[in-house]
Amino acid sequence: LVTIAEPGELTPFIIVPLTDKSLFNGNQFKDRLLKSERSVVFIERRMKMNETRKKFIIEFWAKCNEICPKYNLRAIDAIVAQACNESRYGESSLASTYHNYWGMKCGSSYNGKSVNLATKEEYQAGVLTDIRANFRAYDSMEDGIKGYCEFITGFSRYSNLLGVTDNHQYIVNIKNDGWATDSRYIDTLDSIVPVVRETINEFGVWL
């Protein structure tokens, strides 16, 4: 089943089977629903979007759009969607206090500021394991974004991200490169990208 609601509303007004596409004729969500089952997640996320998250997307997208292309990282909506997912829209302690919006760990070659925090990894599909890890820490949002760019460009395994403009391809590449253990990572980020794009379009932030 899929729940449909007007953008911004919390109460759904109709519940229908996703497979019965004839029921969506004339519906404002028709195009989104027919494109992919992931659109269902997008609609549910739209319902839950609050002003704090919108403000984070707008500010963060603008800074990423300024900084990331300097490193030849051009799939801005995907990069922001990734940060929204990893940092809970900037509200995690790692993001809000230490400006690490992507959960980047230190690694043996890193000599900057760090913080040790609890986290979860999915080493086996569907099974979360509690661990503690050393994460990179930064002094500002701008430094955190630059840190992400330097992290990506500093490892050859991420070279297939350089110059990529297609958001879905960027997400597939970074997952296949070993960025995340989450088995649903691609679907999750694909569902957030339209939220980012609609928020940017709504508030008039343009490329």
Side-chain angles (χ1 to χ4, degrees):
L1 295 181
V2 53
T3 302
I4 305 177
E6 295 283 353
E9 289 188 349
L10 297 179
T11 305
F13 62 82
I14 186 172
I15 299 178
V16 294
L18 179 62
T19 53
D20 191 351
K21 296 178 180 179
S22 64
L23 295 175
F24 299 123
N25 290 334
N27 189 279
Q28 64 175 311
F29 293 116
K30 176 183 176 183
D31 290 340
R32 296 173 190 161
L33 286 166
L34 296 186
K35 285 180 181 177
S36 168
E37 290 186 3
R38 289 189 291 268
S39 300
V40 176
V41 181
F42 162 56
I43 291 170
E44 290 173 350
R45 287 179 179 273
R46 280 281 295 169
M47 291 164 57
K48 297 175 183 178
M49 180 65 63
N50 59 40
E51 292 304 314
T52 300
R53 290 186 172 188
K54 286 182 180 179
K55 289 179 181 177
F56 173 77
I57 289 174
I58 293 165
E59 179 183 6
F60 199 78
W61 189 95
K63 291 185 182 299
C64 284
N65 190 52
E66 176 185 354
I67 296 170
C68 293
K70 297 176 182 178
Y71 295 82
N72 200 21
L73 296 173
R74 303 185 181 280
I76 306 302
D77 289 4
I79 292 169
V80 173
Q82 188 186 12
C84 289
N85 179 63
E86 300 274 3
S87 72
R88 299 197 303 274
Y89 293 82
E91 295 176 358
S92 71
S93 59
L94 183 60
S96 61
T97 304
Y98 301 102
H99 303 288
N100 182 339
Y101 302 91
W102 290 273
M104 295 171 294
K105 297 182 178 70
C106 290
S108 58
S109 62
Y110 178 71
N111 297 315
K113 295 181 179 180
S114 66
V115 58
N116 184 270
L117 295 174
T119 187
K120 296 179 185 293
E121 294 290 351
E122 187 182 345
Y123 300 119
Q124 180 182 345
V127 179
L128 295 178
T129 301
D130 293 318
I131 66 168
R132 294 194 69 89
N134 295 317
F135 293 91
R136 301 186 180 202
Y138 303 95
D139 293 325
S140 66
M141 180 180 287
E142 290 86 350
D143 287 345
I145 296 170
K146 290 177 182 177
Y148 171 82
C149 295
E150 291 167 359
F151 187 98
I152 294 296
T153 57
F155 292 94
S156 59
R157 71 174 181 269
Y158 296 121
S159 61
N160 60 355
L161 302 176
L162 302 179
V164 174
T165 57
D166 181 85
N167 291 301
H168 175 70
Q169 190 60 57
Y170 187 96
I171 292 167
V172 170
N173 287 358
I174 200 168
K175 167 60 176 169
N176 291 340
D177 292 340
W179 181 275
T181 58
D182 183 358
S183 59
R184 300 170 62 184
Y185 198 71
I186 294 173
D187 285 347
T188 298
L189 296 195
D190 276 345
S191 74
I192 299 175
V193 165
V195 178
V196 171
R197 177 45 36 200
E198 289 237 337
T199 301
I200 297 305
N201 288 344
E202 178 181 358
F203 288 90
V205 182
W206 307 102
L207 285 168

